[in-house]
Amino acid sequence: MKQYDAIIIGAGQAGPSLAGRLTKAGMTVAFVERHLFGGTCVNTGCMPTKTLVASAYAAHLSRRAAEYGVVRGSDVQIDMSIAKGRADTVSANAREGVEKHLRGMTGCTVLQGHARFESPTTVRVGDERLTAPRIFINVGGRAYVPDMPGVGQVSYLTNTSILKLERVPRHLVVVGGSYVGLEFAQIYRRFGATVTVVEMGPRLIGREDEDVSLEIRNILEGEGISVRTSATCIRLAPHDEGVVVGVDCTDGPPEVIGSDVLLAVGRRPNTDDLGLEAAGVSTDAKGYITVDDELATNVPGIWALGDCNGRGAFTHTAYNDFEIIAANLLDGAHRRLSDRISAYALYIDPPLGRVGQTESQARASGRPLLTAKRPMSRVGRAVEKGETLGFMKVVADAETKRILGAAILGTGGDEAIHGVLDIMNAGATFDVLQWSVPIHPTVSELIPTLLGDMKPTP
Ligand SMILES: Cc1cc2nc3c(=O)[nH]c(=O)nc-3n(C[C@H](O)[C@H](O)[C@H](O)COP(=O)(O)OP(=O)(O)OC[C@H]3O[C@@H](n4cnc5c(N)ncnc54)[C@H](O)[C@@H]3O)c2cc1C
């Protein structure tokens, strides 16, 4: 049995930085990773997908080149080996960087293998047994494959396997019209595939406001993506041409025949094979590790960070978990999960930048509200760029004058939303932002104008 000051399981978005802080504080750390350093974001999530989004954007703009007065000779062709090669290189560089960083860290012992608890203070990795008074779980998640009819009879893609494709599917059927599915749908449509999105719910990306969801549908349909919503019973079956997807929708044909099908219906935590029961660590019904406001599990000395605790589903939330734990354990701080304002982006083009509550969540509170909305066609920078799809909107509490939430669905929306996020984090009233002097011409410069248009909600 080898003794350490701390054990970290999983080299995702929180673990490696935590190892850095703990070893700098003089602790010995055993770091266990079973597969690829950098976890989901680096290898099968944010980084490769956003690299492909950039290739897809280049293809889209090339097709529109004539609108900008740029004359090209021939049709746009996609060379998947180059597009995939870019994504592979970006991921590989980041992965190698994380591994090198950990292996070169004084006080950190890296073990490659699957970690499993044997007791609240003991973890087994292959033939080795490790013990420490502090154990940090950063095991992330994987694609959820639902037990839908026929799933065992067809070969399907997930966010991991689709990144290995060396070809553009002839007809990609994306099951799941939410964040992961929509990004892949648009990427492959822009690469030249026929794409159908099949969604069980009545609208795409159902957690967002209805106007956001409808505009996203318009954007995707405008590029030729077929959208089938209210597909209450989805079935899969083999077909000569690939796979047939049964869709019981209120309208449209009952089946879609695709060459490939991507299952993008959610994620599940990597907690089922961690031996949590041997440590007595509690999970919820979906397997997410239950944590308190400072990321501690029910077992003293064990913390859970990142996607596996179900309190965030993003790289920045996993990283923030590390920051909270490091500040509280090493700096005597009392940072809390509940201090975090929800913010994220959907990287279709144009992107959706989101912060705080949706308008419907704010309305459900029953508080008096102020709201404003502006189409991107009335944002100078968007007009100049020839990218006027989407809108920006904001909702604030009419009494406190604090912004409750905002959505910027439009060019630069993933960046511009930070102006709103910053003012919310500062705890300031919205007139502070309204009276700022932003740079012209930017998308952000219209946020003060938007705030000046605030009206009481009916
Ligand atoms: C297609 C896709 C696109 C995404 N795009 C974005 C985006 O643009 N922006 C964003 O913020 N987020 C995005 N995400 C989400 C983001 O990738 C995750 O939220 C983030 O990676 C979570 O980090 P984590 O540290 O919790 O875990 P992970 O990054 O999943 O890392 C967990 C690590 O633990 C290891 N592990 C698991 N079990 C064990 C074990 N028993 N023993 C040893 N090691 C183990 C795994 O091998 C893995 O390396 C995307 C996700 C997907 C799927």
Side-chain angles (χ1 to χ4, degrees), residues 10 12-13 33-34 39-41 50 114-115 138-140 306-307 313-315:
Q13 306 309 305
E33 169 53 55
R34 70 176 176 191
T40 307
C41 179
K50 266 79 259 184
H114 179 87
N138 179 214
V139 292
D307 284 11
F314 301 100
T315 284

Side-chain angles (χ1 to χ4, degrees), residues 268-285:
R268 59 175 294 190
N270 291 326
T271 53
D272 46 339
D273 52 2
L274 198 52
L276 287 177
E277 53 300 330
V281 173
S282 303
T283 60
D284 69 12

Side-chain angles (χ1 to χ4, degrees), residues 285-308:
K286 290 184 172 169
Y288 290 100
I289 298 172
T290 316
V291 290
D292 67 14
D293 213 16
E294 296 188 18
L295 285 322
T297 68
N298 62 310
V299 178
I302 304 183
W303 291 260
L305 305 82
D307 284 11
C308 69

